[in-house]
Short mmCIF file of all heavy atoms in Angstrom, two decimals:
data_model
loop_
_atom_site.label_atom_id
_atom_site.label_comp_id
_atom_site.label_asym_id
_atom_site.label_seq_id
_atom_site.Cartn_x
_atom_site.Cartn_y
_atom_site.Cartn_z
N HIS A 69 -80.06 190.96 95.83
CA HIS A 69 -79.16 191.40 96.89
C HIS A 69 -78.59 190.19 97.61
O HIS A 69 -79.29 189.24 97.88
CB HIS A 69 -79.90 192.26 97.91
CG HIS A 69 -80.37 193.56 97.37
ND1 HIS A 69 -79.52 194.61 97.18
CD2 HIS A 69 -81.58 193.98 96.97
CE1 HIS A 69 -80.20 195.63 96.71
NE2 HIS A 69 -81.45 195.28 96.56
N LYS A 71 -76.30 189.08 101.11
CA LYS A 71 -75.90 189.61 102.42
C LYS A 71 -74.74 188.80 102.96
O LYS A 71 -74.65 187.62 102.77
CB LYS A 71 -77.08 189.56 103.40
CG LYS A 71 -78.11 190.61 103.10
CD LYS A 71 -79.03 190.79 104.28
CE LYS A 71 -79.90 191.99 103.98
NZ LYS A 71 -80.10 192.82 105.11
N ASP A 80 -76.17 193.65 90.47
CA ASP A 80 -76.83 193.94 89.20
C ASP A 80 -75.99 194.81 88.28
O ASP A 80 -76.24 194.85 87.09
CB ASP A 80 -78.17 194.63 89.42
CG ASP A 80 -79.19 193.71 90.05
OD1 ASP A 80 -79.01 192.49 89.98
OD2 ASP A 80 -80.18 194.22 90.60
N ASP A 93 -82.06 203.86 90.10
CA ASP A 93 -82.58 202.92 91.10
C ASP A 93 -82.02 203.26 92.48
O ASP A 93 -82.73 203.17 93.48
CB ASP A 93 -82.22 201.48 90.74
CG ASP A 93 -82.88 201.01 89.46
OD1 ASP A 93 -83.93 201.56 89.10
OD2 ASP A 93 -82.33 200.10 88.82
N ARG A 98 -82.80 205.46 97.88
CA ARG A 98 -82.50 206.48 98.89
C ARG A 98 -83.79 207.18 99.33
O ARG A 98 -84.03 207.39 100.50
CB ARG A 98 -81.50 207.49 98.35
CG ARG A 98 -81.19 208.60 99.36
CD ARG A 98 -80.07 209.47 98.91
NE ARG A 98 -78.85 208.68 98.94
CZ ARG A 98 -77.77 208.97 98.25
NH1 ARG A 98 -77.75 210.02 97.47
NH2 ARG A 98 -76.71 208.22 98.34
N ALA A 100 -86.69 205.99 99.24
CA ALA A 100 -87.54 205.01 99.94
C ALA A 100 -86.95 204.64 101.30
O ALA A 100 -87.48 203.76 101.98
CB ALA A 100 -87.70 203.76 99.07
N LEU A 111 -61.38 200.42 87.48
CA LEU A 111 -60.88 201.45 86.57
C LEU A 111 -60.98 201.04 85.11
O LEU A 111 -61.22 201.88 84.25
CB LEU A 111 -59.42 201.77 86.88
CG LEU A 111 -59.17 202.69 88.05
CD1 LEU A 111 -57.67 202.90 88.24
CD2 LEU A 111 -59.86 204.03 87.86
N GLY A 115 -65.00 197.39 76.94
CA GLY A 115 -66.27 197.61 76.27
C GLY A 115 -67.23 198.51 77.02
O GLY A 115 -68.38 198.66 76.64
N ALA A 120 -63.35 205.73 86.70
CA ALA A 120 -63.27 207.19 86.84
C ALA A 120 -64.41 207.87 86.08
O ALA A 120 -65.05 208.78 86.61
CB ALA A 120 -61.92 207.70 86.37
N ALA A 121 -64.68 207.42 84.87
CA ALA A 121 -65.77 208.01 84.08
C ALA A 121 -67.12 207.68 84.71
O ALA A 121 -68.02 208.54 84.73
CB ALA A 121 -65.72 207.49 82.64
N ASP A 130 -75.60 212.39 91.68
CA ASP A 130 -75.67 212.35 93.14
C ASP A 130 -74.32 212.79 93.69
O ASP A 130 -73.40 211.97 93.81
CB ASP A 130 -76.01 210.93 93.61
CG ASP A 130 -76.07 210.82 95.13
OD1 ASP A 130 -75.90 211.84 95.83
OD2 ASP A 130 -76.28 209.70 95.62
N ASP A 143 -50.11 201.03 89.64
CA ASP A 143 -49.39 202.26 89.38
C ASP A 143 -50.29 203.36 88.82
O ASP A 143 -49.83 204.48 88.58
CB ASP A 143 -48.21 202.02 88.44
CG ASP A 143 -48.65 201.48 87.08
OD1 ASP A 143 -49.76 200.91 86.98
OD2 ASP A 143 -47.87 201.60 86.12
N ALA A 146 -55.15 206.89 90.04
CA ALA A 146 -56.37 206.78 90.85
C ALA A 146 -56.19 205.79 91.99
O ALA A 146 -56.83 205.93 93.03
CB ALA A 146 -57.56 206.36 89.98
N ILE A 147 -55.32 204.81 91.82
CA ILE A 147 -55.03 203.87 92.90
C ILE A 147 -54.04 204.51 93.86
O ILE A 147 -54.19 204.43 95.09
CB ILE A 147 -54.48 202.53 92.35
CG1 ILE A 147 -55.57 201.79 91.57
CG2 ILE A 147 -53.92 201.66 93.48
CD1 ILE A 147 -56.69 201.21 92.42
N HIS A 150 -56.19 207.93 95.56
CA HIS A 150 -57.62 207.74 95.30
C HIS A 150 -58.45 208.97 95.68
O HIS A 150 -59.43 209.29 95.02
CB HIS A 150 -58.15 206.48 95.99
CG HIS A 150 -58.02 206.51 97.48
ND1 HIS A 150 -56.88 206.08 98.12
CD2 HIS A 150 -58.87 206.91 98.43
CE1 HIS A 150 -57.04 206.21 99.42
NE2 HIS A 150 -58.25 206.71 99.64
N LEU A 159 -58.62 199.80 96.31
CA LEU A 159 -58.53 198.36 96.53
C LEU A 159 -57.76 197.74 95.37
O LEU A 159 -58.35 197.32 94.37
CB LEU A 159 -59.94 197.78 96.63
CG LEU A 159 -60.10 196.31 96.97
CD1 LEU A 159 -59.48 196.00 98.34
CD2 LEU A 159 -61.57 195.93 96.96
N LYS A 161 -55.87 195.18 92.99
CA LYS A 161 -56.02 193.74 92.72
C LYS A 161 -54.64 193.12 92.60
O LYS A 161 -53.71 193.79 92.15
CB LYS A 161 -56.77 193.52 91.41
CG LYS A 161 -58.19 193.97 91.41
CD LYS A 161 -58.76 193.70 90.03
CE LYS A 161 -60.12 194.28 89.82
NZ LYS A 161 -60.59 194.07 88.45
N ASP A 167 -58.56 192.64 102.72
CA ASP A 167 -58.31 193.90 102.02
C ASP A 167 -59.63 194.59 101.66
O ASP A 167 -59.77 195.80 101.80
CB ASP A 167 -57.51 193.67 100.74
CG ASP A 167 -56.18 193.00 100.99
OD1 ASP A 167 -55.54 193.29 102.03
OD2 ASP A 167 -55.77 192.18 100.14
N ALA A 171 -60.97 198.20 102.98
CA ALA A 171 -61.38 199.28 102.07
C ALA A 171 -62.80 199.72 102.37
O ALA A 171 -63.10 200.92 102.37
CB ALA A 171 -61.25 198.82 100.62
N LEU A 176 -66.41 203.78 104.44
CA LEU A 176 -67.57 204.08 105.28
C LEU A 176 -67.19 205.02 106.40
O LEU A 176 -67.98 205.89 106.78
CB LEU A 176 -68.19 202.79 105.81
CG LEU A 176 -68.84 201.92 104.74
CD1 LEU A 176 -69.25 200.57 105.32
CD2 LEU A 176 -70.01 202.61 104.09
N ALA A 177 -65.99 204.90 106.95
CA ALA A 177 -65.53 205.82 108.00
C ALA A 177 -65.40 207.23 107.43
O ALA A 177 -65.76 208.20 108.09
CB ALA A 177 -64.20 205.36 108.58
#
Side-chain angles (χ1 to χ4, degrees):
H69 293 283
K71 286 196 172 221
D80 291 341
D93 295 335
R98 179 172 292 159
L111 280 179
D130 179 3
D143 61 338
I147 292 289
H150 61 272
L159 185 60
K161 294 179 188 177
D167 302 324
L176 293 171

